[in-house]
Amino acid sequence: MRWWWDTTNTFHFPWGEMTITPEDYTALTGFTFTGNPVLLGSNGPPPTVAEGTRLLGSWMGMRLPSYQPRGIPFADLMWALEHGVEESSLRQARLFYLHFITSTFLSGPTDTFDPRWIGMVEDVSTLGDYCWGNLGYATLVGQMSLAVRDSDPCRRHFVITLAGVPRLIELWAFEHLPWLAPRKGQRPLEYPAGHRWGWKKKLTARPPPDTVLDLIRDGNPEHVVWTTWLSFSGTYASVRDSYALSQMRVLFVGRRDPVWYLGERVRMQTVGVFSVPKPPPATMLSTRSIGESWRVHSRTGVPATELVIAGASYY
């Protein structure tokens, strides 16, 4: 995360610019970028306690033990999954998928979910038609940028809470920067590729953080694996679609604000050819997005609204 720039949504390593591409996301997780958009329905003010209770009561046939407008704790959702809905297999399925989707793609530092998200699982038979890669990717990248804005550079170590399959960052590094990968636990390459590292912690021993910093600083650019998924692109249609998407500029929509992916800046990861980076879109540098994410004043003591000059280029 020390190399992540929220103004480009890319890692700026000593050997060049890289990022988690849509192709990386699909190849590692199996979640695709095709299908219907996921409509969260959480725009505007949250429902009141009375509205939320009525909404959940009519949908679940019960009342969660501690509903609040700021969100419903996942622990309460698990409680509801285990109690009071045995008489309805449909409600049981809705609760299960709701918990899986929110904890995988939408969970954040608060570990709560918005009651208006229940519309995603109203018809469980259509869940396979949604574009889950879009939602997960946007949530992961958006929270990475929020995390680096909120982190204190004076602290050697800080805790970051992410969502959108956050372990993908680690597995992405194992595939593209092989000198960071553990010597034990690696399996033959299969789709999705995340399986070959094992999802259990005991299968992937992590080097200490200070060691990782030194390994990246002293990393040999000749050992970087830029184009990792060539075999997948020729076999799996979902990876081919993500490969094409990875060469473009795309605006993804997640839990929070839309997230830009700047594919032309990381062409080395798709076609193996370097291209001169273009300036990011003006919306990546908007005063509004920075002002909402940062504190009232930045670490330097300058008001956040003064850090961006309206109409100025990225350079």
Side-chain angles (χ1 to χ4, degrees), residues 47-246:
T48 64
V49 173
E51 293 170 342
T53 302
R54 183 171 60 254
L55 177 66
L56 293 169
S58 62
W59 184 76
M60 295 182 182
M62 60 175 295
R63 176 176 175 175
L64 288 177
S66 58
Y67 169 72
Q68 295 293 331
R70 72 179 187 279
I72 300 171
F74 285 152
D76 290 351
L77 186 58
M78 283 302 297
W79 181 92
L81 185 59
E82 296 171 358
H83 301 83
V85 292
E86 292 84 354
E87 75 285 356
S88 172
S89 59
L90 177 57
R91 287 174 179 163
Q92 191 86 5
R94 284 172 170 173
L95 281 171
F96 170 80
Y97 284 119
L98 180 63
H99 183 271
F100 174 79
I101 293 168
T102 54
S103 60
T104 302
F105 298 108
L106 296 166
S107 63
T110 58
D111 284 331
T112 61
F113 77 93
D114 191 307
R116 290 168 292 185
W117 294 348
I118 63 177
M120 292 186 297
V121 294
E122 184 67 29
D123 184 359
V124 296
S125 65
T126 63
L127 290 178
D129 300 331
Y130 286 119
C131 182
W132 297 113
N134 190 323
L135 179 63
Y137 183 89
T139 302
L140 174 63
V141 172
Q143 288 198 307
M144 288 171 65
S145 293
L146 287 176
V148 297
R149 293 174 195 170
D150 293 339
S151 62
D152 188 343
C154 297
R155 296 162 57 189
R156 288 175 57 83
H157 306 293
F158 50 88
V159 177
I160 297 176
T161 302
L162 299 175
V165 194
R167 198 180 176 211
L168 182 72
I169 304 172
E170 185 179 47
L171 303 183
W172 175 88
F174 291 168
E175 294 289 350
H176 286 281
L177 314 176
W179 65 89
L180 297 179
R183 296 181 179 178
K184 296 181 179 180
Q186 182 178 359
R187 302 172 180 175
L189 184 62
E190 58 180 325
Y191 178 78
H195 286 304
R196 79 174 186 143
W197 299 102
W199 293 102
K200 296 181 180 180
K201 294 182 179 180
K202 65 180 181 181
L203 295 180
T204 51
R206 300 168 176 81
D210 289 339
T211 303
V212 173
L213 293 176
D214 293 336
L215 288 172
I216 291 180
R217 286 196 194 97
D218 302 332
N220 189 337
E222 297 180 358
H223 296 161
V224 176
V225 181
W226 294 98
T227 53
T228 307
W229 316 114
L230 295 178
S231 61
F232 283 178
S233 297
T235 307
Y236 300 98
S238 58
V239 181
R240 284 198 299 271
D241 294 337
S242 299
Y243 168 78
L245 199 65
S246 298

